[in-house]
Amino acid sequence: MKLSKYLINTLKESPKEATIISHKLLLRASMIKQHSSGIYIWLPLGFKVLKNIEKIIRENQEQIGCHELLMPTIQSADLWKKSGRYEDYGKEMLRIQDRHKNELLYGPTNEEVITDFFNDYVNSYKNLPKYLYHIQWKFRDEIRPRFGVMRGREFLMKDAYSFDLTKEDSFLTYKIFFKSYLKTFIDLGLQPIPVKAESGAIGGDLSHEFQILANTGESEIAYDSKLTSDNLLNLSFDEINSLYSASDDLIDKNKKDVVIGRGIEVGHIFYFGTKYSSPLKANVLTQEGKNVEVHMGSYGIGVSRLVGAVIEAYHDEKGITWPFKIAPFKINIIALEELIDNEEIKKLYLSLLKKYKDIIFDDRDISIGKKIKDSELIGIPWTIIAGKNFKEFNKLELVNRSNNQSITLSVSDLEKFDYEKNFY
RNA sequence: CGGGGAGUAGCUCAGGCUGGUAGAGUGUCUGCUUUGGGAGCAGAAAGUCGCAGGUUCGAAUCCUGUCUCCCCGACCA
């Protein structure tokens, strides 16, 4: 990608609407632009990050046999009246009328839609369990949106729904999702802490939220240090679930040997049994020919919130320090003006482009200093600089954004270098 | 919803008390000079001063209303 062709407009000063670091950096790096309170335009650079996060989430969902569909943003109020939530949800739900005066709403979540749909398509125990998810924009008319994309009114969420024959099966499913969530967040480069949770408006009797550790996190969390060990994924659900963790007011102050940190909630999972299958009549026939209500769970990840959360965990005084997989571009090539048309550098760019796809060549007609600043602000993992050393010795400088260390390499070294493995 | 603050150029802000028709930095554009850390010089474009009404010969400024945004609290992926 030649940067001169891209939409990028970095800011030296952060707009005053922003108070927390991720919000400031997202605005300064021209990744988002506020449209109105809690509603954002995702600019090309930010949208790429969002897509990269989606990709990792998708891979993990598919791994546990959870399949993607896409449900509407605008939903009919009828279903919500049946489940009883049309009244319960309160002012957070954005209610709309169409020209026929039918009541609609912009979906804050999708239990009703998917349960209703499921009932039409699945009628036998033979088809259970079923796991389905979608990644779709939601709207919750928060009293006070804040912190940029961390708490918007419109936000992108991955929500999965599970359908099982029995409570026992549904618990097994829950455990599968639980572990898949830990892996998802670890794949994203984050340190997840599962915390037993109140299940809130969605309801049910088994629930965990997933906090990720970040110094600037909104809630205080206390947890057993084993939760951050490298072999966390090798432990069973019961082993992990027996380890202590709590957030905010629920922290037991007398508890010893716990680590205190700060966290950002990025995921929430629930088992809620027949709360929706009962009113919306999602039944299947058992082996004995009996009609029974299915047991359900739902599993959410705040995708757009994660963009902010990752920055809270990955930044320094110069800007964002994206993990490799999430970074909008992986390598940025910067050359002195007189070297911009150099054949060898062009060849390097093309060969890296072939291998990594998301590569920038900063061909803008601006000073090299600003190019470096922009690269640091945006958080490109690797910056390759062709300067004096190239003219004299045919060497380029390779700078690692995570630790700001640089090494001097030749073009052929740079072509062979493993940028993903060597990051961090 | 309660409490606090703010709306003036893309962004950061001055001006407002004491009314006379809009300014700086930065960004943008043009030209020249530059090129290893957000370059220099010269020139230019850019604002119905959030909106509506009122007072006045005259309103960014005073008055009234209204909208929007931000911060603190209760609620949430």
Side-chain angles (χ1 to χ4, degrees), chain A residues 193 195 209 211 213-223 245-253 259-264:
Chain A
I193 305 291
V195 178
E209 48 184 58
Q211 302 265 350
L213 292 180
N215 293 331
T216 51
E218 54 192 336
S219 44
E220 186 178 53
I221 50 177
Y223 56 93
S245 67
S247 66
D248 291 329
D249 300 341
L250 302 171
I251 294 174
D252 179 356
K253 303 281 183 206
V259 185
I260 304 285
R262 300 203 69 83
I264 300 168

Side-chain angles (χ1 to χ4, degrees), chain A residues 167-412:
Chain A
K167 182 171 184 172
E168 291 69 34
D169 289 349
S170 200
F171 273 32
L172 290 176
T173 293
Y174 185 92
K175 293 174 184 180
I176 289 168
F177 273 92
F178 180 94
K179 292 206 70 178
S180 170
Y181 266 40
L182 290 177
K183 183 172 170 299
T184 302
F185 295 121
I186 289 169
D187 284 356
L188 286 164
L190 301 167
Q191 185 62 251
I193 305 291
V195 178
K196 286 186 203 73
E198 304 293 324
S199 42
I202 294 179
D205 41 11
L206 179 56
S207 174
H208 284 85
E209 48 184 58
F210 291 80
Q211 302 265 350
I212 58 112
L213 292 180
N215 293 331
T216 51
E218 54 192 336
S219 44
E220 186 178 53
I221 50 177
Y223 56 93
D224 192 308
S225 64
K226 291 195 189 83
L227 285 169
T228 54
S229 74
D230 287 341
N231 73 335
L232 182 66
L233 293 177
N234 298 324
L235 301 179
S236 70
F237 170 83
D238 292 326
E239 282 170 313
I240 297 169
N241 201 34
S242 68
L243 298 172
Y244 179 78
S245 67
S247 66
D248 291 329
D249 300 341
L250 302 171
I251 294 174
D252 179 356
K253 303 281 183 206
N254 300 318
K255 195 93 184 166
K256 285 188 180 153
D257 301 323
V258 297
V259 185
I260 304 285
R262 300 203 69 83
I264 300 168
E265 188 188 347
V266 291
H268 206 152
I269 63 177
F270 308 86
Y271 160 77
F272 47 71
T274 59
K275 181 175 160 100
Y276 300 99
S277 55
S278 181
L280 295 169
K281 303 200 169 46
N283 300 329
V284 292
L285 285 172
T286 64
Q287 199 162 8
E288 293 79 30
K290 237 176 76 186
N291 227 343
V292 298
E293 292 159 353
V294 293
H295 286 255
M296 295 176 57
S298 76
Y299 315 88
I301 292 179
V303 182
S304 47
R305 171 179 282 191
L306 270 169
V307 176
V310 170
I311 295 173
E312 292 295 328
Y314 288 96
H315 68 270
D316 62 17
E317 65 289 344
K318 294 175 173 176
I320 305 167
T321 59
W322 296 115
F324 192 85
K325 282 186 192 155
I326 297 177
F329 292 95
K330 315 306 181 191
I331 306 170
N332 185 9
I333 300 174
I334 294 174
L336 285 177
E337 174 72 19
E338 59 200 282
L339 295 172
I340 278 194
D341 292 319
N342 182 282
E343 284 303 320
E344 239 185 311
I345 292 170
K346 259 191 215 167
K347 258 176 59 192
L348 172 65
Y349 164 64
L350 291 173
S351 81
L352 291 176
L353 189 64
K354 207 178 268 177
K355 213 156 142 192
Y356 292 94
K357 196 171 145 239
D358 291 319
I359 307 296
I360 300 177
F361 184 73
D362 193 344
D363 61 335
R364 293 177 297 168
D365 187 21
I366 54 175
S367 75
I368 196 161
K370 177 158 164 65
K371 291 182 183 181
I372 294 170
K373 290 283 183 199
D374 275 354
S375 200
E376 288 166 343
L377 174 62
I378 294 164
I380 311 298
W382 298 98
T383 302
I384 293 171
I385 304 174
K388 284 177 189 144
N389 256 340
F390 186 79
K391 287 192 288 182
E392 290 173 36
F393 310 109
N394 248 26
K395 299 272 190 190
L396 297 92
E397 189 185 343
L398 176 64
V399 187
N400 181 330
R401 182 67 185 89
S402 67
N403 54 24
N404 292 309
Q405 285 175 0
S406 68
I407 47 175
T408 304
L409 295 170
S410 67
V411 168
S412 63

Side-chain angles (χ1 to χ4, degrees), chain A residues 324-325 330 356 382 417-424:
Chain A
F324 192 85
K325 282 186 192 155
K330 315 306 181 191
Y356 292 94
W382 298 98
F417 193 80
D418 189 327
Y419 293 88
E420 179 154 15
K421 258 196 192 137
N422 288 300
F423 194 61
Y424 291 109

Side-chain angles (χ1 to χ4, degrees), chain A residues 49-60 135:
Chain A
V49 172
L50 197 63
K51 289 286 165 192
N52 288 343
I53 290 175
E54 279 184 15
K55 181 165 182 271
I56 293 172
I57 293 172
R58 282 199 170 89
E59 285 166 3
N60 276 283
I135 296 179

Side-chain angles (χ1 to χ4, degrees), chain A residues 154-170:
Chain A
E154 188 185 51
F155 58 97
L156 188 62
M157 182 162 108
K158 187 286 297 181
D159 41 327
Y161 302 89
S162 69
F163 303 87
D164 278 284
L165 185 61
T166 65
K167 182 171 184 172
E168 291 69 34
D169 289 349
S170 200

Side-chain angles (χ1 to χ4, degrees), chain A residues 58 62 66-72 110 114 117 131-136 159 161:
Chain A
R58 282 199 170 89
E62 296 295 333
C66 189
H67 300 298
E68 187 169 14
L69 47 64
L70 185 60
M71 288 180 273
N110 282 68
I114 199 156
F117 150 80
Y131 309 153
L132 299 164
Y133 78 100
H134 76 339
I135 296 179
Q136 178 64 291
D159 41 327
Y161 302 89

